[in-house]
Amino acid sequence: MTGSAADIAHLHTAVAAAARRSRERGNHPFGAVLVGPEGSVLLEAENTVTTERDATGHAETNLIRLATPRFDGEYLGTCTFYTSTEPCAMCAGAIYWAAVGRVVFALGEEELLAMTGADPANPTLDLPCRTVFAAGRREVAVVGPLPADGAREVHAGFWHTQP
């Protein structure tokens, strides 16, 4: 499955707005955007792991926390979840349980791991989101990794063990 021009544009929002803003506020450089079936941005979220001292404060879980009180699962099933980086196992689980129908990401987990290395601030699980979703009984369409300007650059110099 390939991404559309709209997918790339929404990924740019996830990277340029949410991930950059997250980093500027002292958090890990990750961002996420929820887009409705008609193509409009419904919500944005950024990572808050550092500032909120919450290990679960990933951009994706923060976005799910914003979305589920506002929208029911039936509606979320018609939405697309855009994220600057492939959702980790925890975030993929949250997306699955919220019943979001489609996920599009820019930077793949393998590429992130190659960039972060053994940095203790990002103890990456080698578990692709497609594997997490495939373990469930509800289908979640996944598109990615897709090229998005700045997806890699927003991490430059952030991780202590970066090459």
Side-chain angles (χ1 to χ4, degrees):
M1 193 181 296
T2 61
S4 67
D7 287 334
I8 300 298
H10 290 304
L11 282 176
H12 286 150
T13 300
V15 171
R20 287 194 198 291
R21 187 171 57 239
S22 178
R23 182 174 177 164
E24 289 166 3
R25 293 181 180 169
N27 289 295
H28 300 172
F30 301 102
V33 177
L34 183 68
V35 174
E38 70 292 335
S40 64
V41 173
L42 302 172
L43 297 166
E44 289 184 20
E46 59 193 68
N47 183 289
T48 58
V49 167
T50 303
T51 56
E52 298 293 324
R53 295 178 47 97
D54 177 2
T56 67
H58 294 193
E60 297 87 352
T61 54
N62 287 338
L63 187 56
I64 291 299
R65 287 184 191 117
L66 292 171
T68 53
R70 293 185 173 122
F71 309 109
D72 64 22
E74 184 176 336
Y75 182 74
L76 288 171
T78 67
C79 293
T80 300
F81 195 106
Y82 293 91
T83 182
S84 60
T85 305
E86 182 174 1
C88 72
M90 175 185 69
C91 294
I95 292 165
Y96 175 82
W97 286 112
V100 174
R102 184 171 180 258
V103 173
V104 179
F105 63 89
L107 193 66
E109 187 71 22
E110 287 182 5
E111 189 173 2
L112 177 66
L113 181 57
M115 289 171 32
T116 63
D119 192 316
N122 190 48
T124 302
L125 293 171
D126 186 13
L127 186 59
C129 69
R130 285 176 173 90
T131 302
V132 175
F133 296 139
R137 290 189 268 166
R138 179 184 321 108
E139 183 178 338
V140 179
V142 179
V143 178
L146 292 179
D149 291 341
R152 185 172 178 67
E153 292 77 10
V154 75
H155 293 275
F158 184 85
W159 304 103
H160 299 292
T161 59
Q162 261 185 333

